[in-house]
Amino acid sequence: MELYLIRHGIAEAATDDIKDEERQLTKEGRQKTEKVARRLRKLGLHFDLIVTSPLVRAKQTADILMAAGLSSQMEECTHLVPDGHIYSWVVNWLEPKNFAPNTQLALVGHEPCLSHWAEIIVWGEVKERLVLKKAGMIGVKVPETGSVLGCGQMFWLTPPKYLL
Amino acid sequence: MELYLIRHGIAEAATDDIKDEERQLTKEGRQKTEKVARRLRKLGLHFDLIVTSPLVRAKQTADILMAAGLSSQMEECTHLVPDGHIYSWVVNWLEPKNFAPNTQLALVGHEPCLSHWAEIIVWGEVKERLVLKKAGMIGVKVPETGSVLGCGQMFWLTPPKYLL
């Protein structure tokens, strides 16, 4: 299985009137994310499923990926919120046995969760050594059998500026 | 300092008549590397220095990067050969004190050295969890002071197919 961990695009700041979970993509964030999505499609990517955090800025990012034709299926998953836990997510949800071989799965969420999870999947621990920009992505190949923790192979890490 | 670790392009196989160090890029390897180099230039990259392994396939790759305008300076370094040692290389040569702040340094070499070195710089140990394809690259930000080992931040890892 290949996992693509995608961070949401640039979003408006939280204020007294706007709760964190309601923050929307800015105009710039939307435009840049649309460009990234078009480039990913042009590069031939297609996801069997896009799983997104239920927060507005992540859902809007996932909607843009869907609109670019990067997948025909999208789900929300509460484990992908900013304070989500990789262990419950992996143990309850991601286990490779739940997916067909060679599944291409995109996760849309938040920092620092996504880069921490990538580190846990690839190296088995968090050292905060990966830089994941907004609308950037990490690609990790996960073994088809057995635990995914500490057994992944990272094949891609890119900021959006190299996809524009 | 930013380090860009670049693997040489596709090369001809070693034979009884062709020693490993004399292997040249194939026509496909040359063409793909040229495309990658043009894309890197278009993305705005410019290296203060390209340091290459003295083996022919690496030098040819570095020549292609130079011809694309990615740098105006190139050096050979024997520490970058396939059985080179990161520790002697880092201790004797790379120490950030030898370079101006914000130096952009490209290293052209071989696997598995390059991905191992990236892991040592980023993680402090080798776990063989990074996939670096021929003509692919890894970008690591290295602290301007102190040891570079286990203190880097990885901001880029890409196979060539996403640069064509």
Side-chain angles (χ1 to χ4, degrees):
Chain A
M1 175 170 35
E2 287 182 346
L3 278 181
Y4 296 83
L5 297 94
I6 302 172
R7 188 177 178 192
H8 64 80
I10 300 166
E12 62 189 348
T15 65
D16 289 345
D17 296 329
I18 305 173
K19 291 181 189 169
D20 179 64
E21 56 266 35
E22 293 169 359
R23 289 163 53 202
Q24 306 214 18
L25 297 187
T26 62
K27 185 179 173 188
E28 181 195 358
R30 178 175 292 279
Q31 289 174 341
K32 195 184 265 191
T33 306
E34 285 170 350
K35 279 189 184 176
V36 166
R38 283 197 295 272
R39 172 82 179 149
L40 294 178
R41 191 71 194 101
K42 199 174 168 192
L43 289 172
L45 271 80
H46 189 268
F47 309 120
D48 297 292
L49 175 63
I50 294 174
V51 189
T52 180
S53 147
L55 273 58
V56 169
R57 60 191 182 278
K59 278 171 56 181
Q60 289 180 332
T61 299
D63 285 340
I64 289 170
L65 300 177
M66 293 290 288
L70 283 160
S71 183
S72 55
Q73 285 201 73
M74 185 169 81
E75 286 181 9
E76 290 180 27
C77 175
T78 54
H79 292 306
L80 295 180
V81 297
D83 55 354
H85 296 287
I86 178 75
Y87 296 103
S88 53
W89 175 68
V90 164
V91 172
N92 296 324
W93 199 87
L94 177 64
E95 280 294 303
K97 67 179 181 311
N98 295 330
F99 294 93
N102 302 317
T103 296
Q104 310 269 309
L105 186 61
L107 309 175
V108 181
H110 309 268
E111 276 293 275
C113 293
L114 292 180
S115 64
H116 285 185
W117 295 0
E119 287 186 309
I120 290 171
I121 292 170
V122 172
W123 286 292
E125 60 182 316
V126 174
K127 291 195 179 182
E128 301 201 321
R129 292 286 186 272
L130 300 178
V131 181
L132 180 59
K133 298 280 189 184
K134 292 186 181 81
M137 64 190 296
I138 297 172
V140 178
K141 192 165 176 64
V142 172
E144 300 292 348
T145 58
S147 171
V148 303
L149 302 181
C151 300
Q153 294 276 325
M154 188 182 305
F155 60 87
W156 203 11
L157 162 64
T158 186
K161 67 179 176 180
Y162 296 140
L163 293 174
L164 298 180
Chain B
M1 175 169 37
E2 287 182 347
L3 278 181
Y4 296 84
L5 297 94
I6 303 172
R7 187 177 178 191
H8 65 80
I10 300 166
E12 62 189 349
T15 65
D16 290 344
D17 297 327
I18 304 174
K19 292 181 189 169
D20 180 63
E21 57 266 34
E22 293 169 359
R23 289 163 54 203
Q24 306 213 18
L25 297 187
T26 62
K27 185 178 173 188
E28 181 195 357
R30 177 175 291 279
Q31 288 173 341
K32 196 183 263 192
T33 306
E34 285 170 349
K35 279 190 184 176
V36 166
R38 283 196 295 270
R39 172 81 180 150
L40 294 179
R41 191 72 194 101
K42 198 173 167 190
L43 289 172
L45 271 82
H46 189 268
F47 309 120
D48 297 292
L49 175 64
I50 293 174
V51 188
T52 181
S53 147
L55 273 58
V56 169
R57 59 192 183 277
K59 277 171 57 180
Q60 289 180 332
T61 300
D63 284 340
I64 290 170
L65 300 176
M66 293 290 289
L70 283 161
S71 183
S72 55
Q73 285 200 72
M74 185 170 81
E75 286 180 9
E76 291 180 28
C77 175
T78 54
H79 292 306
L80 295 179
V81 297
D83 55 354
H85 295 287
I86 177 76
Y87 296 104
S88 53
W89 175 66
V90 163
V91 172
N92 297 324
W93 199 87
L94 177 66
E95 279 295 303
K97 67 179 181 313
N98 295 331
F99 294 94
N102 302 317
T103 296
Q104 310 271 308
L105 186 62
L107 308 177
V108 180
H110 310 268
E111 276 293 273
C113 293
L114 292 180
S115 64
H116 286 185
W117 295 0
E119 284 189 308
I120 290 172
I121 292 169
V122 171
W123 272 92
E125 61 182 317
V126 174
K127 292 198 176 183
E128 302 202 320
R129 291 286 185 271
L130 300 178
V131 181
L132 180 58
K133 298 280 189 184
K134 292 186 181 81
M137 64 190 295
I138 298 172
V140 177
K141 192 167 176 62
V142 172
E144 300 291 348
T145 58
S147 171
V148 303
L149 302 180
C151 299
Q153 295 276 324
M154 189 182 305
F155 60 87
W156 203 13
L157 162 64
T158 185
K161 69 178 176 180
Y162 296 140
L163 292 174
L164 299 181

